[in-house]
């Protein structure tokens, strides 16, 4: 499961450039099926972040909460689904929007962009849940980080797929809907 450091450096730099809303960032991603497959290694790197975010969402005062084993299994399954369902669905969607030729580079960019999203969202979540700031401030920080992540996902979709803004917005809305559905189902299982 080793990651080629040169490829990782290029991809992270590309994700960073896209986070700065610089379309040049897309040139730093390989466009092959192999690169798209390798980009799923990011899921392994970010698994601890996902676990921390999931733990932050738990209510420590809830004595009837899930057992540790149940929590880990459900959270793990949700994580795997979050990383696989959207890219699989995008295979068909990319054909539908006549961008099948951009599918592999989109998956690659989307996966590597998760690092930037984690760097933005984890500290915001930790601050909001820490109790160090009033709830409205923590909520505002979470809202701001969430809006940035949505704008970033939109820019990645628009730039990498080379589609109009409205089409990119639909891709992001679909991604968000899938993520929320997975979270809701997982939450219901806890």
């Amino acid at each position: 499961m080793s990651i080629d450091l040169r490829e990782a450096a290029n991809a992270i730099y590309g994700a960073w450039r896209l986070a700065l809303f610089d379309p040049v960032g897309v040139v730093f991603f390989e466009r092959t099926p192999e690169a798209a497959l390798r980009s799923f290694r990011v899921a392994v790197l970010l698994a601890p972040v996902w676990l921390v975010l999931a733990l932050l969402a738990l209510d420590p005062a809830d004595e009837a909460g899930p057992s540790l084993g149940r929590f880990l299994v459900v959270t793990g399954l949700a994580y795997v689904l979050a990383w696989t369902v959207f890219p699989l669905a995008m295979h068909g969607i990319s054909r539908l929007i006549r961008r099948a030729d951009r599918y592999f580079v989109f998956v690659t960019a989307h996966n590597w962009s998760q690092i930037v999203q984690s760097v933005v969202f984890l500290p915001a979540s930790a601050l909001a849940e820490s109790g160090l700031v009033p709830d409205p401030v923590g909520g505002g920080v979470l809202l701001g980080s969430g809006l940035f992540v949505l704008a970033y996902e939109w820019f990645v979709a628009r730039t990498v797929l080379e589609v109009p803004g409205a089409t990119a917005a639909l891709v992001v809305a679909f991604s968000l809907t899938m993520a929320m559905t997975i979270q809701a189902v997982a939450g219901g299982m806890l």
Side-chain angles (χ1 to χ4, degrees):
M1 200 296 298
S2 67
I3 293 180
D4 179 295
L5 292 180
R6 172 178 253 157
E7 180 181 16
N10 283 336
I12 292 169
Y13 183 72
W16 171 251
R17 295 305 313 168
L18 290 172
L20 297 174
F21 301 101
D22 179 358
V24 173
V26 75
V27 303
F28 293 93
F29 299 103
E30 292 185 32
R31 302 170 189 284
T32 65
E34 296 81 13
L37 189 58
R38 286 191 306 269
S39 72
F40 283 93
R41 293 175 178 169
V42 174
V44 176
L45 295 174
L46 292 179
V49 174
W50 176 278
L51 182 60
V52 168
L53 287 170
L55 288 169
L56 285 172
L58 285 178
D59 181 5
D62 183 10
E63 293 179 16
S67 68
L68 180 60
R70 182 180 189 93
F71 173 79
L72 291 175
V73 168
V74 170
T75 301
L77 288 172
Y79 187 68
V80 170
L81 287 172
W83 273 89
T84 56
V85 172
F86 177 67
L88 287 172
M90 276 306 296
H91 187 265
I93 292 170
S94 67
R95 292 182 185 284
L96 184 65
I97 63 174
R98 295 187 170 91
R99 291 297 187 264
D101 61 321
R102 310 285 300 164
Y103 171 72
F104 293 114
V105 69
F106 175 75
V107 168
T108 303
H110 176 77
N111 286 349
W112 283 101
S113 75
Q114 300 306 306
I115 292 174
V116 173
Q117 292 180 39
S118 295
V119 166
V120 169
F121 207 68
L122 180 61
S125 295
L127 179 66
E129 296 295 329
S130 70
L132 296 174
V133 296
D135 285 345
V137 173
V141 170
L142 272 179
L143 177 63
S145 66
L147 291 174
F148 168 78
V149 165
L150 288 175
Y152 177 46
E153 286 188 0
W154 173 83
F155 188 76
V156 169
R158 185 175 69 88
T159 304
V160 177
L161 291 171
E162 295 179 346
V163 294
T167 303
L170 289 173
V171 167
V172 172
F174 180 71
S175 171
L176 183 62
T177 300
M178 293 186 80
M180 291 172 65
T181 301
I182 291 168
Q183 288 294 46
V185 171
M189 294 173 71
L190 294 175

